[in-house]
Amino acid sequence: MRVLGLDPSLNSTGYGVVEFSNGSPRLVEGGIIAPARSRKLEERLAELQRSLSDIIGSLQPDVMVVEEVFSRTAYPQTAILMAHARGALICAAALTRMPIFHYSATAVKRALVGNGAASKQQVAAMVVQTLRLRRRPAPADVTDALALAIAHGRRQNGRRR
């Protein structure tokens, strides 16, 4: 099973593809989609959708896992912009009829570290360990996307950790 994890953002969407063979995860690819901040909102959303469509076409994931919208109540505009980006990305996958799963940050932390309140550093360390990497993927958006993919792969394989 090949899992595409997405950490959606209008500025820097992280993606990571992890392949699970006999329950063992292997990194396929990770990166970011970063539309130019100088472009109009609708142009940035279109770029997110096009770029993700290209990634799906070339890497052929079986499922997509996307992080749920999270925002502090003090910044409602951030939640709105993230929801726009998330919608464009989900649409790209939906057009291929790919199954889409939605995970909260807490669920991902619990799946990787065993604690829903784990720090970003703890999650990153588990991504490095699980995928047998030499160093933490950068930027953090890629690490978060890979964490989503690993969490889903573990859930599908019936393993919590």
Side-chain angles (χ1 to χ4, degrees), residues 35-95:
R37 293 179 185 214
S38 61
R39 300 183 76 187
K40 293 180 186 178
L41 174 63
E42 57 271 23
E43 293 169 341
R44 294 167 79 186
L45 295 173
E47 184 175 338
L48 284 173
Q49 188 175 11
R50 274 192 307 272
S51 295
L52 185 59
S53 292
D54 291 345
I55 290 165
I56 290 169
S58 67
L59 300 178
Q60 297 294 303
D62 299 303
V63 300
M64 184 173 90
V65 184
V66 62
E67 188 174 65
E68 293 176 349
V69 173
F70 169 81
S71 179
R72 301 189 198 306
T73 55
Y75 304 102
Q77 186 66 20
T78 300
I80 292 167
L81 291 174
M82 182 179 286
H84 284 319
R86 193 172 182 276
L89 295 162
I90 289 171
C91 185
L95 289 170

Side-chain angles (χ1 to χ4, degrees), residues 8-28:
S9 170
L10 190 57
N11 297 325
S12 178
T13 290
Y15 73 90
V17 177
V18 176
E19 188 163 62
F20 290 84
S21 178
N22 298 323
S24 181
R26 178 184 66 83
L27 174 64
V28 175

